[in-house]
């Protein structure tokens, strides 16, 4: 039966651990690079969105009203699906009802 010395076996084990740690470090670096790219792309998208919304508001003042109506529809849909009962003041809804 062939056996390696303790020092040799220990050195092989340390090498394997070092390789695993290096691989994990490479993974963490790659992940950090991907996260950075993702953040940059998201920020660029948000900047473009803000630019387009600003242009839409400038070109068409009714755009803000349309966005307000869309937001109100989303809120009303959420409330209508709720099992809870809710009473809202017409004043707080900003829908311009005349009493």
């Amino acid at each position: 039966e062939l056996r390696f010395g303790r020092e040799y076996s220990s050195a092989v084990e340390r090498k394997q651990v070092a390789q695993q740690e290096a691989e994990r470090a490479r993974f963490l670096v790659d992940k950090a690079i991907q996260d950075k790219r993702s953040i940059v792309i998201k920020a660029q998208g948000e900047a473009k969105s803000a630019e387009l919304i600003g242009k839409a508001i400038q070109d068409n003042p009714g755009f803000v009203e349309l966005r307000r109506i869309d937001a109100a529809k989303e809120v009303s849909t959420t409330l209508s699906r709720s099992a809870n009962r809710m009473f809202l003041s017409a004043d707080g809804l900003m829908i311009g009802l005349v009493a």
Side-chain angles (χ1 to χ4, degrees):
E1 182 176 318
L2 179 63
R3 289 189 167 187
F4 295 105
R6 282 186 180 180
E7 288 181 28
Y8 179 80
S9 296
S10 178
V12 169
E13 185 177 330
R14 284 193 308 270
K15 180 181 177 189
Q16 288 174 338
V17 168
Q19 286 174 334
Q20 290 171 352
E21 288 174 354
E23 189 64 34
R24 175 156 171 74
R26 276 192 292 276
F27 169 79
L28 291 174
V29 168
D30 289 345
K31 184 177 182 314
I33 290 170
Q34 285 180 336
D35 289 347
K36 177 185 169 187
R37 286 182 188 149
S38 174
I39 290 168
V40 168
I41 290 169
K42 182 180 178 186
Q44 288 171 339
E46 289 175 356
K48 184 67 175 177
S49 174
E51 179 184 326
L52 292 174
I53 289 172
K55 184 166 177 19
I57 290 170
Q58 185 179 14
D59 293 347
N60 183 3
F63 179 78
V64 173
E65 183 67 16
L66 181 61
R67 292 294 294 249
R68 190 180 69 74
I69 291 169
D70 285 341
K73 279 177 50 179
E74 186 176 331
V75 168
S76 66
T77 300
T78 302
L79 292 175
S80 69
R81 291 183 181 154
S82 172
N84 299 327
R85 295 288 177 215
M86 197 170 302
F87 296 96
L88 303 173
S89 162
D91 295 334
L93 295 176
M94 299 182 292
I95 56 175
L97 294 178
V98 178

